[in-house]
Amino acid sequence: MSVIATFQKDPTDVLDYIVDWTSWLGGADTIATSAFTVATGLTMDSESNTTTTATVWISSGIASQSYTVENTITTAGGRTASRSFQIVCLNL
């Protein structure tokens, strides 16, 4: 699993995070399904996807804590891949 980025958020923020799979898909495949796994302590408010991106809306968290969020996709061509990112909660 590859960590693709680290983001900061205030515990009171409700923010969207987008995983762009365009380069990995190479123009010849599309996202069929997408699922996010959010570390305990964060709240996943909603998730969605297009044929090339996956989006998750996240709220809550505890200041000074770091959390991992994982996105796993399956493509129309039958490939499966996962990428993760870190969210660091700070009192901003």
Side-chain angles (χ1 to χ4, degrees):
M1 173 176 48
S2 300
V3 175
I4 57 174
T6 299
F7 301 99
Q8 294 180 344
K9 77 176 278 307
D10 187 276
T12 62
D13 291 345
V14 179
L15 300 173
D16 58 322
Y17 300 90
I18 300 170
V19 180
D20 187 344
W21 292 90
T22 304
S23 294
W24 185 85
L25 292 166
D29 208 350
T30 59
I31 297 172
T33 63
S34 171
F36 282 90
T37 303
V38 178
T40 301
L42 293 178
T43 301
M44 180 172 51
D45 296 315
S46 66
E47 60 182 311
S48 62
N49 67 276
T50 68
T51 57
T52 58
T53 63
T55 302
V56 63
W57 283 83
I58 295 176
S59 61
S60 68
I62 299 170
S64 301
Q65 296 292 317
S66 179
Y67 302 94
T68 300
V69 177
E70 182 178 10
N71 178 223
T72 301
I73 63 162
T74 301
T75 69
R79 298 185 291 167
T80 301
S82 294
R83 298 293 182 270
S84 65
F85 58 90
Q86 297 288 312
I87 295 177
V88 179
C89 281
L90 301 170
N91 288 321
L92 300 174

